[in-house]
Amino acid sequence: MSSFHCGLQFRVREGPDRGRAFLLEHRELTVGRARTAGDRAPGWILLNDPLVQRIHAELAWHEQENAYHLISRPDARVEVNGEAVSNGTLLAGDVVKFGDSVLVLQAATAVLSAEPKQAVPVTAVDSGKTIKMTRCSKTLEVLSGVSKGEKLVLKGLKIQLGGNNNESIPLDKTWWDQDVVIQDPGVPFRCMAWHWQEQEKAFEVSMLRSVPVPVSFERSVDGVEWMSEMPSGMGAAVLVRSLDRILMGKITLQLVIEDF
């Protein structure tokens, strides 16, 4: 999990990943070829392009220049604004070509709320006024992993989510009103907190403890795929809306919210 935010992203304009956007959330990044479709890893920009090498180029953030410095591998071709380069500083608006993939460096659009903030319990009162709770169904669909195809109904407003475990916690010591268990060994036990935010019609998701697998979030907006890693830090949270996808290692979940 990363707490670094430079406010930049790469958007794929041409190539097999056309339409995807990669938020740049690490000071050091590696551009390379994905081994399989959908590969993701912290600190990597993985492209599904056969002409991109497994390790094609490196990006390093320079604080003084407030920009990334690019260094390509000796046998890997990189073009910046139509010219072949082996190293150089990248600025917003630059067009970078790796293999057959053309990426545009641009300001990131904040479609995923990834700024650390304190997760708070759901309340039905705001500034002395009662918030009307809408009736809707909330479901987590397992899109990949051992439990693929399973649908988990979310009935609570304060939910603890994680993998299966024989450990038990006394009911009088629980803070949640629903315990959602995913029957998959790849999901850590009771690792996430989901707090329903009625005004946002979304869940505020935070980590209850460190997990050994990367956690990221994806959202499709106007034909563009956005991705953000789970921010680090005490109280860090991400607002997850309907049809957003949550990735934990090899597990993919999708939140579906439907009004009655």
Side-chain angles (χ1 to χ4, degrees), residues 34 40 61 66 96 116 120 125 149 169 171-172 212 223 243 258:
R40 300 169 182 84
W61 180 256
N66 200 35
V96 187
V120 295
V125 178
I169 297 178
L171 292 178
D172 60 350
L243 301 184
E258 298 178 326

Side-chain angles (χ1 to χ4, degrees), residues 83-94:
E83 296 185 6
V85 300
S86 59
N87 64 81
T89 300
L90 298 180
L91 302 175
D94 284 347

Side-chain angles (χ1 to χ4, degrees), residues 120-122 153-163 165-181 189-196 203-204 206-209:
V120 295
V122 174
V153 178
L154 307 182
K155 297 180 179 180
L157 300 179
K158 295 180 292 182
I159 299 171
Q160 182 167 251
L161 180 144
N165 193 296
N166 292 328
E167 180 182 347
S168 61
I169 297 178
L171 292 178
D172 60 350
K173 294 185 179 181
T174 62
W175 54 263
W176 60 91
D177 51 27
Q178 185 181 4
D179 195 2
V180 175
V181 177
F189 176 63
R190 286 178 172 161
C191 60
M192 301 182 89
W194 290 58
H195 290 268
W196 176 249
F203 279 100
E204 192 172 70
S206 59
M207 302 304 298
L208 294 173
R209 58 189 176 87

